Amino acid sequence: MITGASGGLGSALADALAPTHTLLLAGRPSPRLDAVAGRYGATTWPIDLADPDAIAAVVEPLVELDVLIHNAGVAYPGRVAESSIDEWRSTMAVNVVGAVALTLELLPALRSAAGHVVFINSGSGIKPSPGLASYSASKFALRGFADSLRNDEPSLRVTSVHPGRIATAMQEDLVAYEGRDYDPTQFLSAGTVARVTADAINAPRDAHIHEVIVRPR
C-alpha cells in the first residue's frame, strides 16, 4: 500500500514497485489516482489521512499486508513567525496523526505478513529546513514514531527514507516562496528516490535497513 499515490513521488513509487508487488494505491479519490491505478492494474483505496476516524472501515478487509509506504504529506512554506495554528494542525494531522492511525489499523495485517513499513521522511526530519517550520517539526515526529515502531514491533522491518529536495509540485511551491526560479535539475528526481526506496524494500529478508539518506549530487 502506497499513500499519496497520485502525486509525483507516489506515482514513481508505484512504477518502481509494480514489477515485484501487487499495488494498493491509497489517497483521496481523484482522476489522478485513478490514472495511476489504471497504468498498473492496481486497486485504489479511498483514504483521507486528515479523517483518521474513517480509516478503520476502509482497511478492515485487509488481513495481510507485505509493505506499507507512508508517502502522503503536506507542507506549508513559512518561518515560525509566519506560520498559523491552522497550518500546524493540518500538517500534524496528515503527516503524523494520519500516518499513525493508518499504521495502527494495519498492524494485524502487517504482523501476519512479517511486513515492512516505510516512512518517506525528509532531510528536514534530520535537520530543520529554513522556511518549513511546521513541516520540519512533523518530520521529526514521524521519525520518532518510526523508531518507536521498530523498537516495539520486532517482527516488522521499519525504514525511514530521508531524501533531499525532490523535483515535485511541492518543491515548486517552496522555490516560489524562496523567490527563486525553479530548475528541476537542481533536485533529486522522483524516480531516483523511488528506486532507492524499492531497493530497501526488496533487500534480502535478513537485512533490516533502518534509515536511508539520499541527497542530490
Side-chain angles (χ1 to χ4, degrees):
M1 177 175 282
I2 304 169
T3 69
S6 63
L9 181 54
S11 177
L13 287 165
D15 183 61
L17 290 167
T20 54
H21 292 77
T22 299
L23 301 179
L24 311 178
L25 306 183
R28 295 175 179 173
S30 70
R32 290 177 63 197
L33 184 63
D34 291 340
V36 177
R39 288 203 298 271
Y40 306 108
T43 303
T44 59
W45 291 73
I47 293 175
D48 182 356
L49 295 178
D51 185 11
D53 294 336
I55 290 175
V58 176
V59 303
E60 190 271 336
L62 288 172
V63 296
E64 191 168 287
L65 184 66
D66 292 305
V67 182
L68 171 61
I69 304 178
H70 289 290
N71 170 67
V74 297
Y76 298 96
R79 296 177 182 272
V80 171
E82 300 168 340
S83 63
S84 70
I85 292 298
D86 285 343
E87 289 172 346
W88 281 85
R89 286 195 183 102
S90 176
T91 304
M92 294 298 173
V94 174
N95 294 4
V96 183
V97 177
V100 171
L102 182 58
T103 303
L104 293 178
E105 294 297 339
L106 288 173
L107 265 182
L110 288 160
R111 288 170 178 155
S112 293
H116 194 164
V117 184
V118 178
F119 295 87
I120 304 298
N121 199 292
S122 168
S124 297
I126 296 173
K127 181 180 180 181
S129 297
L132 283 172
S134 61
Y135 179 80
S136 295
S138 74
K139 292 300 186 179
F140 267 78
L142 194 65
R143 183 184 183 191
F145 175 61
D147 291 346
S148 296
L149 182 65
R150 189 182 304 112
N151 289 339
D152 293 345
E153 296 289 334
S155 70
L156 305 182
R157 296 198 293 182
V158 179
T159 302
S160 286
V161 180
H162 295 270
R165 297 173 70 161
I166 309 171
T168 63
M170 183 184 293
Q171 197 63 239
E172 290 188 60
D173 291 341
L174 178 58
V175 171
Y177 165 79
E178 294 169 337
R180 299 188 293 115
D181 293 329
Y182 178 70
D183 178 2
T185 64
Q186 295 179 349
F187 309 115
L188 288 163
S189 74
T192 293
V193 177
R195 288 195 295 273
V196 170
T197 303
D199 286 343
I201 291 169
N202 292 322
R205 293 296 302 174
D206 61 340
H208 188 171
I209 300 171
H210 291 196
E211 189 172 84
V212 179
I213 299 174
V214 191
R215 295 290 182 267
R217 294 187 65 180

